[in-house]
Amino acid sequence: MVRTGTWLTVALALLGRQATGQARVDERWPLDPGGSVRIVSPFGRIRVLGWDADSVAVSGRLDAGAGRFYATGDAGARKLGVDIAADARNPGRAELEVRVPRRATVWVRSTAAAIDVVGMDGTLDLSTVGGAVHVVGTPQDVTAETMDGRVEIAGGTGRARVKTVSGDILLRGASADLGASTLSGAIVVRAAGWQRGGTGVQRGKFESVTGDISFDGELVRVPPQTIVDFDVVTIQGTITNTLGQGAQQPKARTGGSGKELRFSTGVGGAQVTARSFKGAIFLEPK
């Protein structure tokens, strides 16, 4: 009876394991501090964490049908990800957590996975068709693109370029060069804090076809003889400006329909450009 019970327990465990159909990933390789990592995973979640070790480590799980995990490369460049079979009809989720040196260059591509990046100081190139992108840290350069997902960048960046089709964009923190464009999503910029070379935003350009644009924050402090230039245009939307006493108001657009507002504050050195087709544009003090 004892033997029968033992075999029954083993059989149930095997059945449970087959039912979940999950595979575990736990790998680690050396990587130069300034090396590069390319990550490709179609579905699920990709989480990238910066750390101080000279290596790249991957942990996670793959659901049944998620595909096969692979990794190639050396200490200078490493490529890893999940391959899905060409005939897979119901691909499962892959949950990957990748730890890389903080100053490394990271390139991520996905079909629908959410992308989270925390604690990186290097260059980021992130793209997902249907997932969201979330970045927290002080990367030198960020490019983030998605079709329908939301993009949020928080911290201080040297340069950031964000692009969506219908996803909303939220940019929190400071940047030397900040740009965002979308067709129907809303763009919200809360520019405050410190970034390499100063505080606030030195240069910004924000464009939307039908979504609202809101800029609420600080402009970089530079010698007083340098001015801050605003160039704001909307075709069918509205422009609201409350910056400074006697804030200038928009006028009819020269040579076409819509409103435009161009003025200089004379107290900083930033360049802010905002474009919208139907959305409203707000300029507000922090």
Side-chain angles (χ1 to χ4, degrees), residues 20-203:
T20 59
Q22 290 185 338
R24 300 293 303 179
V25 178
D26 189 5
E27 302 284 352
R28 183 167 179 169
W29 311 270
L31 188 73
D32 298 336
S36 65
V37 179
R38 297 169 66 90
I39 305 168
V40 179
S41 184
F43 302 99
R45 184 186 183 196
I46 303 167
R47 182 172 172 82
V48 179
L49 302 176
W51 68 352
D52 297 323
D54 293 343
S55 61
V56 53
V58 185
S59 61
R61 68 176 187 272
L62 278 62
D63 290 346
R68 177 187 62 87
F69 177 79
Y70 68 90
T72 61
D74 52 29
R78 173 69 57 175
K79 181 177 180 180
L80 58 93
V82 177
D83 272 336
I84 294 181
D87 58 351
R89 296 184 178 181
N90 297 301
R93 290 171 55 86
E95 305 281 340
L96 297 180
E97 182 173 285
V98 186
R99 295 179 180 269
V100 303
R102 297 184 189 279
R103 294 190 290 108
T105 296
V106 177
W107 184 94
V108 181
R109 292 294 183 271
S110 180
T111 303
I115 301 174
D116 293 323
V117 181
V118 179
M120 292 297 298
D121 294 331
T123 297
L124 305 176
D125 189 340
L126 315 172
S127 177
T128 176
V129 177
V133 179
H134 184 217
V135 178
V136 178
T138 56
Q140 176 61 38
D141 192 294
V142 180
T143 300
E145 296 184 359
T146 179
M147 293 282 287
D148 306 321
R150 174 184 175 90
V151 177
E152 180 177 352
I153 299 178
T157 61
R159 174 188 177 276
R161 291 292 181 270
V162 180
K163 190 174 185 179
T164 75
V165 174
S166 60
D168 292 341
I169 299 172
L170 173 59
L171 306 175
R172 296 187 293 120
S175 179
D177 187 355
L178 189 60
S181 64
T182 178
L183 289 179
S184 59
I187 299 176
V188 176
V189 183
R190 296 172 182 165
W194 176 90
Q195 47 82 23
R196 297 171 177 83
T199 60
V201 171
Q202 293 184 22
R203 182 181 296 106

Side-chain angles (χ1 to χ4, degrees), residues 175 195 197-203 218-222 228 267-270:
S175 179
Q195 47 82 23
T199 60
V201 171
Q202 293 184 22
R203 182 181 296 106
E218 302 174 359
L219 298 175
V220 66
R221 300 294 189 265
V222 296
V228 181
V267 296

